[in-house]
Amino acid sequence: MRVGVIIVAGGRGQRLGGPVPKQLLDVGGRSILQRSVLAFDDHETVSELVVVLPRDLVAFGPSLVGATTKPCNYVVGGERRQDSVQAGLSALSSSVDTVLIHDAARPFVSDAVIDRVVEATRRTGAVVPATRVRDTVKRVAAGGTYVAETIPRDDVWLAQTPQGFRRPIIDAAVQLGATGVEATDEAMLVERVGHRVEVVPGDERNMKITTAEDLMAARAMFASVPRVGTGYDLHRLVEHRPLVLAGVPIPFDRGPDGHSDGDVVCHALCDALFGAAAAGDIGQHFSNTDPRWKDAPGLDLLARTVAIVGQLGWRPASVDLTVILERPKLGPHVPAIRSALAEILRLDQGQVGMKAKTNEGVDATGRGEAIAAHAVAVLIVGESE
Ligand code: MG
């Protein structure tokens, strides 16, 4: 048995709208088309692939799909679905005796569904995977206002793809299709040539992406877990420098030394954000040898950091800080610092934690020679609002 797969992506998905053809929309970092093709390319029983594309896309097929391990042909689709399938059949090797036909708009087809379809096709020659309906099913009279009847739910199944056929059966069925019958799936044509079509269990996850809601549901399957980063900063305290944390001036006779303004709160947070995005650290982005960042306000660097991680597709969901300073007491300034950070991070104050500690007189920080801060940041998918 030699299994060939026809992936039908001949339409432009008008229902989803937009300038990008539906099959090229991204779901979890890969296009819908790519996912559909690679699902079969990865399957061990499949020998070759044919992808049916609209005329203006067919030349780009190999670059849109990327490398495949199996032979893959790209052909131009036709006016009707069965015309596209016909084009696909013509591009299969003559040695292919078992044909699977799959909607490109179903990118989540599982190995288990493919296995069931291949195995059943071997036995019965024509197979459709399908799922049961959970809702009560009504037939509505023409005009769409009143229920004509309630159809017994157990009799109703929802057809999916890939549908599997022995080659002579699908060849004959598509011939029939060519004579004027309009089919919405291949099984329908096979039924018309009088061949029994076996139903095997499909899979609820093998959804067809047709509407904007479908696309959102598909993308939600790839919503990633939050990302967490930590940051740390320390600056010596010296005379004749102002002590400013997150733009809040703190009256004191000394302040942090440094190329920038030495705002440990903002610097630790920048590193936490870069860390969560796996995007390097503050020194790489704002080098302390670059004159641009001489005395740069910490809040300015923080705002730039939020923009950089935003370009990578992340936005802050919450942060937490511990600032270690022996003197003066930071407690009275914490609300103002949290408020300033919340504004730059585009968070509510309830998402910005801050604790002020002393080091109990121990080590350089404890002797008042330095100020230090530890930060944790959580990033989630999405650009900042
Ligand atoms: Mg620093």
Side-chain angles (χ1 to χ4, degrees):
M1 186 179 69
R2 191 172 165 88
V3 177
V5 181
I6 299 171
I7 291 146
V8 185
R12 300 215 52 123
Q14 304 293 357
R15 273 176 288 186
L16 256 187
V20 179
K22 176 178 79 174
Q23 54 271 42
L24 302 186
L25 291 169
D26 180 280
V27 173
R30 281 181 175 174
S31 73
I32 293 169
L33 175 68
Q34 226 176 357
R35 286 190 177 280
S36 296
V37 176
L38 296 181
F40 291 93
D41 189 49
D42 287 344
H43 198 276
E44 57 181 7
T45 64
V46 172
S47 301
E48 60 183 85
L49 304 155
V50 176
V51 181
V52 186
L53 288 169
R55 181 168 300 281
D56 56 332
L57 289 182
V58 75
F60 305 105
S63 59
L64 292 172
V65 168
T68 55
T69 58
K70 317 226 163 109
C72 186
N73 279 317
Y74 296 87
V75 300
V76 179
E79 191 71 8
R80 302 167 306 168
R81 183 182 172 94
Q82 59 258 43
D83 301 328
S84 291
V85 170
Q86 176 98 67
L89 285 168
S90 312
L92 285 173
S93 310
S94 56
S95 57
V96 166
D97 54 15
T98 303
V99 180
L100 304 190
I101 301 172
H102 185 65
D103 287 330
R106 295 184 189 271
F108 305 129
V109 58
S110 66
D111 282 349
V113 169
I114 299 172
D115 282 335
R116 285 198 283 275
V117 171
V118 169
E119 192 273 329
T121 305
R122 193 176 290 164
R123 280 189 289 104
T124 67
V127 175
V128 41
T131 56
R132 289 180 171 278
V133 290
R134 284 188 292 255
D135 298 325
T136 300
V137 182
K138 307 288 187 189
R139 192 171 67 76
V140 176
T145 307
Y146 297 103
V147 172
E149 65 172 321
T150 298
I151 298 168
R153 180 165 60 186
D154 287 348
D155 293 352
V156 178
W157 293 68
L158 303 173
Q160 300 187 333
T161 70
Q163 301 186 351
F165 309 96
R166 276 191 217 127
R167 191 156 189 181
I169 296 169
I170 189 64
D171 280 340
V174 170
Q175 288 301 318
L176 173 79
T179 63
V181 178
E182 181 98 40
T184 51
D185 74 353
E186 290 61 54
M188 185 177 156
L189 294 173
V190 171
E191 293 153 39
R192 295 211 173 204
V193 293
H195 200 289
R196 277 154 61 98
V197 177
E198 184 181 355
V199 175
V200 298
D203 182 347
E204 299 269 344
R205 285 163 299 181
N206 186 20
M207 65 185 289
K208 186 171 184 178
I209 301 177
T210 304
T211 65
E213 288 76 19
D214 298 337
L215 183 64
M216 277 191 286
R219 285 180 171 169
M221 293 167 67
F222 292 87
S224 62
V225 292
R227 302 272 294 246
V228 177
T230 71
Y232 170 75
D233 195 31
L234 177 146
H235 282 260
R236 288 173 183 279
L237 292 169
V238 295
E239 288 179 348
H240 311 300
R241 288 276 289 187
L243 176 57
V244 179
L245 296 176
V248 177
I250 297 173
F252 193 42
D253 56 6
R254 280 172 291 158
D257 197 11
H259 180 72
S260 66
D261 69 347
D263 183 337
V264 292
V265 162
C266 290
H267 296 178
L269 267 178
C270 288
D271 261 355
L273 293 166
F274 284 132
D281 62 28
I282 190 170
Q284 283 169 265
H285 291 275
F286 314 116
S287 165
N288 61 10
T289 58
D290 187 333
R292 265 187 306 168
W293 314 123
K294 175 97 180 94
D295 293 323
L299 275 187
D300 180 42
L301 298 187
L302 184 59
R304 289 170 186 272
T305 302
V306 170
I308 292 167
V309 299
Q311 283 162 2
L312 299 171
W314 300 105
R315 70 182 171 92
S318 70
V319 298
D320 186 29
L321 286 157
T322 301
V323 182
I324 304 156
L325 182 64
E326 208 64 19
R327 281 187 315 119
K329 286 241 170 293
L330 281 183
H333 305 287
V334 167
I337 292 170
R338 288 177 60 210
S339 168
L341 293 175
E343 193 182 331
I344 296 291
L345 296 165
R346 299 186 183 93
L347 293 174
D348 295 330
Q349 279 194 52
Q351 296 161 310
V352 179
M354 177 173 170
K355 294 89 63 192
K357 311 280 278 187
T358 71
N359 236 11
E360 298 281 331
V362 177
D363 81 18
T365 314
R367 289 191 298 273
E369 294 168 19
I371 180 171
H374 296 269
V376 174
V378 175
L379 294 177
I380 55 175
V381 171
E383 288 160 47
S384 297
E385 285 139 32

